[in-house]
Amino acid sequence: MTSNVTSSGLGAVQAPMTAATTAPRTVPMWRAGLFGCVAAAAATTVVAAAGRGAGVPLEIDGEPIPLLGFTQLTLLFSAIGVLLALALRRWAASPRRTFLAATAVLTALSIVPDLIVSATVGTRLTLIAAHLVAASIVIPLVAARLPARTR
């Protein structure tokens, strides 16, 4: 343990460092999750807008996909991911590993509909990119706040 040394008119005074003053501050799961959800929603909306700006017809079966739809669905499913992490932190023996495995499977499954919808190749690729961008933002932020082991 280290000490802080302060000087007073009577000489140096040793003040012991406590664990509270030396421990790194960590961001709570809810705050990291909220930040991740909002950042992912913004990023997927930018991906969709860039696709649309590049001439990709963001349509499924001839129905346009609104940009706000990317934002809303990303917020919803990212929040579900954060809730999954909170549940795993409470009940899983290895929360981080379990979360990473589950989210890898869920990310892969989220791409399946993009591959089979009635849409152009550009639309499909934009949808896949949006899923991968959202996952690359939310998953690492949340996983970093999970303990490796709880038992």
Side-chain angles (χ1 to χ4, degrees):
M1 188 184 283
T2 61
S3 302
N4 283 339
V5 178
T6 58
S7 181
S8 69
L10 301 173
V13 176
Q14 292 278 60
M17 294 283 273
T18 63
T21 59
T22 60
R25 293 185 59 177
T26 58
V27 176
M29 174 74 78
W30 71 267
R31 189 176 292 168
L34 178 64
F35 175 76
C37 290
V38 171
T44 58
T45 305
V46 168
V47 166
R52 187 170 281 164
V56 175
L58 294 178
E59 299 176 347
I60 296 177
D61 290 328
E63 292 293 321
I65 305 168
L67 289 180
L68 191 56
F70 284 85
T71 308
Q72 293 171 331
L73 289 176
T74 303
L75 283 171
L76 173 67
F77 286 105
S78 296
I80 291 170
V82 174
L83 293 174
L84 172 65
L86 291 169
L88 292 173
R89 182 173 68 181
R90 181 178 179 122
W91 291 301
S94 302
R96 186 180 306 143
R97 187 182 74 206
T98 306
F99 178 75
L100 289 172
T103 53
V105 169
L106 291 170
T107 301
L109 289 174
S110 76
I111 292 171
V112 171
D114 301 339
L115 297 172
I116 60 176
V117 296
S118 177
T120 66
V121 172
T123 299
R124 289 178 183 170
L125 291 174
T126 303
L127 293 171
I128 290 169
H131 282 109
L132 295 177
V133 164
S136 69
I137 293 169
V138 175
I139 293 170
L141 275 173
V142 173
R145 269 97 193 142
L146 289 171
R149 300 214 45 88
T150 57
R151 300 177 196 150

